[in-house]
Amino acid sequence: MARTQDLGELTTFAGCPELLRGSRVATVLRHGGRILQDSSGNAATYKLSGVVTSIDAFVSHNWSVPRRTKFLCLALHFNLPVAAVVTLVVTVALSLLTAFGFVPVFQLSG
């Protein structure tokens, strides 16, 4: 039982809250996920994170996967629901505007 309690204390950063750091998804995806290009870290990349009280999503990645692939997967994962709703709303709006004659219909001659 003591071992489980010790593990719990380690994962909660008890006594050392400054060790729990995180970055916003927007920060990670900035510039096409440039930070995911290589594993080198420095003071500038460290400053992209900040002390947090909790982490909503933990993102781990493989350095052998190209940056573009990592960026596309993360962008899709975190933005798909909003993108789908926006696409649906725009499609319905344009369909209604076209149906009621507010948007011209172009016909291809052929």
Side-chain angles (χ1 to χ4, degrees):
M1 182 71 166
R3 183 174 167 85
T4 304
Q5 186 178 13
D6 293 340
L7 181 61
E9 288 177 16
L10 287 174
T11 58
T12 60
F13 296 91
C16 301
E18 70 279 359
L19 294 179
L20 184 61
R21 298 180 65 87
S23 297
R24 296 183 170 277
V25 171
T27 302
V28 174
L29 296 180
R30 188 176 295 146
H31 304 292
R34 184 180 297 163
I35 195 169
L36 302 172
Q37 188 166 351
D38 58 50
S39 63
S40 64
N42 55 36
T45 58
Y46 182 80
K47 286 182 181 179
L48 295 176
S49 68
V51 175
V52 295
T53 57
S54 66
I55 295 176
D56 294 330
F58 178 78
V59 177
S60 179
H61 60 92
N62 182 338
W63 292 114
S64 65
V65 176
R67 173 182 123 189
R68 180 178 176 189
T69 303
K70 288 184 262 192
F71 170 77
L72 291 174
C73 288
L74 290 171
L76 188 68
H77 177 77
F78 287 106
N79 296 312
L80 183 61
V82 173
V85 169
V86 169
T87 300
L88 179 65
V89 169
V90 170
T91 301
V92 169
L94 287 175
S95 297
L96 289 172
L97 289 172
T98 302
F100 289 110
F102 293 108
V103 175
V105 178
F106 298 100
Q107 295 188 6
L108 298 173
S109 59

